[in-house]
C-alpha cells in the first residue's frame, strides 16, 4: 500500500501528459479552443503533482524525468501545434492535413518556425534538470507559462468580446515574432521570480503581491484574454526587476 501511495504523484503527472497529447491532437485538427482547455488542464495537473509529491514525500528520479517529459508534450509540443495551426489559418485561411498544404518554400519555413517552441522548450527543461543550484527563482520563462500563453490564444477564439483589439496578434508576422520571442524567453539566463513563498511578509514578497494584484485586474477586465496578458506582464516585470537589479 505504501508503494502505491508513493505512485500518486506519478499518476497525476501522467494525467498532465495525457492532457498534453489530447491537446496536441485537437490543435493539429484545428480545434484550438479544446487544445487550449486541455493545456490548461495539464497545468493544473502539473501543479497538483508537485503538491502531492511534497505532501507524500514521494520524490524519485523517475518522477522528475516523467514530469519533464510530460511538460515538454503539454507545454512545448501542444503549444507548437497551436502555433502551427494559427499560422496555417493566417496564411491559407483554413486548417488542412499537412500533405494537402500547397505553399511556397518560404511559407513552409514560416509554418515550421512553430516548432521552435517545443525545441527551445526541450532545451529549457534540459537546463533545468542539470542545474543543481538551489536558487529561489527561475532562469528563463518556466515552460508551463509558455503553454498557458499559447493556450490562451486558442481560447480567445471562443470569446469575441475583445476580438477586434487582439485581432492583430493573429497575423502571420506577429505570430512568428511571438513564437521566436517566447522560445527565446524560455532559454534566456535572466532570473525570473517564483511564486513559491517562505513567508507572507510584504517586505519579502512585494513583487509577488504586485504581480498577483495586477493579474487579478487583468482577469477581471479581460476574462480569458487576460491569460496571455498575465504571461506578458510576468515577463515585463522580470525584465524591469532585472534592469533595476531587484533581488528575489
Amino acid at each position: 500500500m505504501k508503494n502505491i501511495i508513493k505512485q500518486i504523484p506519478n499518476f497525476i503527472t501522467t494525467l498532465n501528459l495525457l492532457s498534453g497529447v489530447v491537446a496536441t491532437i485537437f490543435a493539429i485538427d484545428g480545434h484550438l479552443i479544446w487544445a487550449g482547455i486541455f493545456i490548461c488542464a495539464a497545468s493544473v495537473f502539473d501543479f497538483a503533482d508537485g503538491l502531492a509529491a511534497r505532501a507524500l514525500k514521494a520524490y524519485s528520479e523517475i518522477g522528475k524525468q516523467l514530469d519533464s517529459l510530460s511538460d515538454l508534450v503539454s507545454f512545448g509540443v501542444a503549444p507548437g501545434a497551436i502555433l502551427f495551426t494559427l499560422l496555417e489559418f493566417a496564411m491559407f485561411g483554413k486548417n488542412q492535413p499537412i500533405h494537402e498544404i500547397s505553399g511556397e518554400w518560404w511559407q513552409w519555413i514560416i509554418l515550421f518556425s512553430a516548432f521552435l517552441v517545443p525545441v527551445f522548450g526541450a532545451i529549457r527543461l534540459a537546463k533545468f534538470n542539470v542545474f543543481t543550484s538551489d536558487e529561489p527563482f527561475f532562469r528563463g520563462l518556466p515552460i508551463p507559462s509558455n503553454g498557458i500563453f499559447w493556450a490562451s490564444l486558442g481560447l480567445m477564439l471562443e470569446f469575441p468580446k475583445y476580438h477586434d483589439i487582439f485581432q492583430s496578434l493573429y497575423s502571420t508576422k506577429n505570430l512568428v515574432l511571438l513564437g521566436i520571442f517566447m522560445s527565446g524567453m524560455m532559454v534566456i539566463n535572466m532570473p525570473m521570480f517564483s511564486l513559491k513563498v517562505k513567508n507572507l511578509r510584504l517586505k519579502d514578497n512585494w513583487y509577488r503581491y504586485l504581480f498577483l494584484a495586477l493579474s487579478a485586474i487583468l482577469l477581471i477586465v479581460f476574462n480569458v484574454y487576460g491569460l496571455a496578458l498575465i504571461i506578458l506582464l510576468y515577463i515585463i516585470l522580470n525584465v524591469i526587476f532585472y534592469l533595476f537589479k531587484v533581488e528575489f
Side-chain angles (χ1 to χ4, degrees):
M1 179 61 69
K2 183 178 180 181
N3 289 334
I4 293 176
I5 292 176
K6 291 290 187 181
Q7 294 304 315
I8 290 177
N10 289 343
F11 173 72
I12 298 174
T13 303
T14 60
L15 295 179
N16 170 6
L17 176 59
L18 178 62
S19 298
V21 171
V22 175
T24 302
I25 294 171
F26 273 124
I28 292 172
D29 204 34
H31 299 289
L32 300 186
I33 297 165
W34 281 106
I37 289 172
F38 275 96
I39 290 177
C40 290
S43 69
V44 173
F45 293 129
D46 184 54
F47 178 75
D49 66 8
L51 285 181
R54 288 188 289 272
L56 300 172
K57 294 182 172 56
Y59 304 104
S60 68
E61 187 62 27
I62 290 178
K64 178 182 177 181
Q65 299 304 323
L66 180 61
D67 185 70
S68 289
L69 291 170
S70 300
D71 284 356
L72 177 58
V73 174
S74 297
F75 311 123
V77 177
I82 286 178
L83 177 54
F84 183 93
T85 301
L86 285 173
L87 287 169
E88 198 178 356
F89 279 130
M91 288 194 294
F92 305 111
K94 60 180 180 178
N95 173 245
Q96 53 193 321
I98 192 168
H99 66 275
E100 293 182 7
I101 298 175
S102 57
E104 302 293 335
W105 63 270
W106 57 269
Q107 291 176 311
W108 281 101
I109 291 176
I110 289 174
L111 281 175
F112 283 110
S113 70
F115 300 126
L116 288 174
V117 175
V119 169
F120 278 73
I123 295 171
R124 193 258 182 273
L125 288 168
K127 289 175 62 177
F128 179 80
N129 284 352
V130 301
F131 197 68
T132 56
S133 175
D134 193 25
E135 292 178 332
F137 50 80
F138 300 115
R139 291 280 180 180
L141 182 71
I143 194 170
S145 299
N146 172 73
I148 291 172
F149 176 82
W150 293 107
S152 68
L153 292 191
L155 292 171
M156 285 180 192
L157 300 175
E158 180 69 9
F159 297 88
K161 183 176 181 181
Y162 297 103
H163 182 71
D164 292 340
I165 299 175
F166 291 90
Q167 188 174 12
S168 61
L169 283 177
Y170 294 95
S171 70
T172 302
K173 177 183 176 181
N174 287 338
L175 287 171
V176 171
L177 290 175
L178 282 172
I180 294 172
F181 174 72
M182 295 300 289
S183 297
M185 289 308 303
M186 284 191 285
V187 298
I188 196 171
N189 204 40
M190 183 179 69
M192 305 185 82
F193 65 83
S194 167
L195 291 179
K196 294 179 182 178
V197 298
K198 294 182 179 179
N199 59 70
L200 298 178
R201 290 196 296 266
L202 179 62
K203 178 182 177 182
D204 298 327
N205 300 290
W206 65 269
Y207 50 87
R208 294 187 178 97
Y209 293 145
L210 173 64
F211 171 68
L212 291 174
L214 293 176
S215 297
I217 293 172
L218 289 174
L219 279 178
I220 292 171
V221 174
F222 293 105
N223 301 314
V224 71
Y225 288 83
L227 290 174
L229 295 177
I230 287 171
I231 302 303
L232 294 177
L233 170 68
Y234 177 72
I235 294 172
I236 291 170
L237 286 178
N238 277 288
V239 171
I240 293 173
F241 295 156
Y242 178 73
L243 293 175
F244 283 91
K245 301 186 182 335
V246 175
E247 295 186 2
F248 302 133

